[in-house]
């Protein structure tokens, strides 16, 4: 009895003490925004070396497939709720329909990996606010669908098994949450007294789930930061919050307010977020060392699946876009929009296989490379790799010369070796003759291009390249 009383007293005093603990000021959040350039470089290294990733837009909108009440939407598939002014209560009809039984995480990851992609960025939540994971914060997520499974858990397991980095796209803008502001006029579920701070606390709760339950993540890819309610201070706070939960994670610049529209780069000195996000475009030139960026692009004209969008880019364009980004020191994030059944559309799979076949031969000319030392090359692009023993230039020839002579204007460094990256059936690389002149180099090349998309010539130089 005495013992029990003692216990009781202990519990009571704990209970009484609890409010005191609660009043204790919270430990100041660590500030991750003042790293040195070398610290940033080290944290971003796996990602800059990777150069190529897969974007996946997948959500309730995939089930709508670009149609509402039999009418096609004119914009992107994932914007259908906004563009067709669908009230939340109506949009919610997609929930019982969403049952992507054909989804196979291992297959998706293998499709990405076989294409040469080293990371996957998938929508954990898009602007419609619907969570593609089993959240304890809300019912507006996958657990309310007949599917019941957690696709992000399955992807995290598949990515770990295949050695691909898993990353999440998470929208700051939320068309569903009752406290989100500015309130959308068609949000018939919005609270009469919305409180944006409540929304931010909710979003952080979701992010905590994502950052603590799905293993180490590569990137948090924010979006929808452009509305007035989102401020630079909130951006900085969110950046620190995310890094506090996974210190090595990379965060894109859409966490803050500095992005200059679709060109994606920061318009002023604010440097919240680790890298720029050009959208549907590749910058005309790179930005030099220490400025990181990744162009995200669609394969047809939509991010989220639309069954009537057949405007597919060719595999040649996709390969050349990847080379173009790498030659300017950037990454290429190429999108697929799986269907409501859980399948990556066949035209996307076919193209990714073709890109993969090119990467199988040419990956050395992409992974871990740096930008071109040339300001312009009329026949194609160049990537480079400098080590303590010298520099390798990879010449990506889009327009193969018809006269057997490839001219590299402005190259003033002595060349020790030149050869085709693609080997013959015996595994030999064809050596190429080089003829130096005062301000250019001529390479004698075979009559026919070795590769229909882009052929790679390897040039070995001593020292760092002197080029114009
Ligand atoms: C945009 C769109 C969005 C898409 C994204 C990809 O900001 O709002 O639908 O997810 O860009 O970069």
């Amino acid at each position: 009895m005495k013992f029990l009383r003692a216990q009781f007293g202990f519990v009571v005093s704990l209970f009484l003490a609890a409010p005191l603990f609660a009043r204790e000021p919270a430990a100041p959040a660590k500030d991750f925004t003042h790293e040195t350039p070398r610290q940033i470089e080290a944290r971003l290294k796996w990602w800059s070396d990777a150069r190529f990733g897969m974007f996946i837009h997948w959500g309730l909108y995939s089930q709508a497939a670009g149609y509402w009440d039999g009418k096609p939407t004119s914009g992107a598939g994932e914007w259908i709720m906004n563009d067709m002014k669908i009230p939340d209560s109506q949009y919610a009809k997609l929930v019982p329909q969403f049952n992507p039984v054909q989804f196979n995480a291992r297959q998706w990851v293998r499709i990405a990996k076989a294409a040469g992609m080293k990371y996957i960025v998938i929508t954990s939540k898009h602007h419609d606010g619907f969570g593609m994971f089993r959240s304890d914060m809300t019912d507006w997520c996958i657990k309310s669908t007949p599917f019941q499974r957690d696709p992000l858990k399955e992807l995290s397991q598949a990515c770990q098994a295949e050695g691909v980095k898993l990353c999440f796209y998470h929208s700051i803008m939320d068309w569903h949450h009752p406290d989100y502001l500015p309130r959308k006029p068609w949000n018939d579920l919005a609270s009469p007294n919305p409180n944006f701070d409540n929304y931010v606390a909710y979003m952080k709760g979701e992010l905590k789930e994502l950052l603590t339950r799905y293993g180490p993540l590569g990137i948090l890819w924010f979006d929808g930061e452009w509305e007035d309610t989102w401020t630079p201070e909130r951006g900085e706070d969110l950046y620190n919050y995310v890094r506090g939960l996974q210190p090595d994670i990379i965060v894109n610049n859409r966490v803050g307010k500095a992005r200059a529209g679709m060109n994606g780069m920061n318009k002023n000195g604010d440097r919240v977020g680790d890298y720029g996000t050009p959208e549907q475009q590749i910058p005309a030139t790179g930005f030099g060392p220490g400025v990181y960026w990744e162009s995200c692009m669609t394969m047809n004209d939509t991010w989220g699946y639309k069954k009537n969008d057949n405007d597919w880019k060719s595999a040649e364009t996709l390969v050349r876009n990847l080379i173009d980004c790498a030659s300017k020191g950037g990454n290429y994030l190429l999108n697929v929009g799986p269907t409501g059944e859980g399948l990556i559309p066949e035209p996307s799979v076919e193209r990714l296989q073709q890109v993969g076949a090119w990467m199988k031969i040419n990956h050395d000319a992409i992974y871990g490379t740096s930008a071109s030392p040339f300001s312009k090359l009329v026949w194609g692009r160049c990537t480079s790799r400098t080590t303590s023993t010298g520099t390798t230039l990879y010449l990506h020839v889009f327009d193969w010369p018809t006269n057997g002579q490839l001219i590299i204007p402005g190259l003033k460094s002595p060349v020790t070796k030149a050869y085709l990256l693609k080997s013959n059936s015996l595994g030999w690389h064809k050596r190429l003759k080089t003829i130096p002149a005062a301000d250019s180099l001529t390479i004698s090349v075979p009559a026919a291009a070795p590769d229909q998309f882009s052929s790679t010539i390897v040039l070995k130089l001593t020292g760092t390249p002197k080029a114009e």
Side-chain angles (χ1 to χ4, degrees), residues 419-432:
Y419 58 91
L420 294 180
L421 185 55
K422 185 176 190 168
S423 55
N424 67 10
S425 54
L426 299 171
W428 294 344
H429 294 274
K430 187 175 172 50
R431 289 286 286 263
L432 303 173

Side-chain angles (χ1 to χ4, degrees), residues 55 57 76 78-79 123 126-127 169 173 221 223-226 254 259 262 277-280 296 303-304:
F55 216 170
H57 279 70
E78 73 287 358
W79 272 79
T123 46
H126 205 269
H127 307 332
Y169 164 113
M173 179 163 77
W221 212 104
D223 193 22
E225 84 292 16
W226 54 81
R254 299 190 186 187
R259 175 167 68 110
M262 295 300 180
T277 49
E279 180 169 326
Q280 299 290 37
C296 56
W303 301 96

Side-chain angles (χ1 to χ4, degrees), residues 299 313-322 332 334 351:
M299 232 188 263
K313 297 178 181 71
S314 68
E316 176 185 271
T317 299
L318 303 177
V319 164
R320 292 183 177 189
N321 283 349
L322 169 62
Y332 186 44
L334 179 58
R351 280 157 183 78

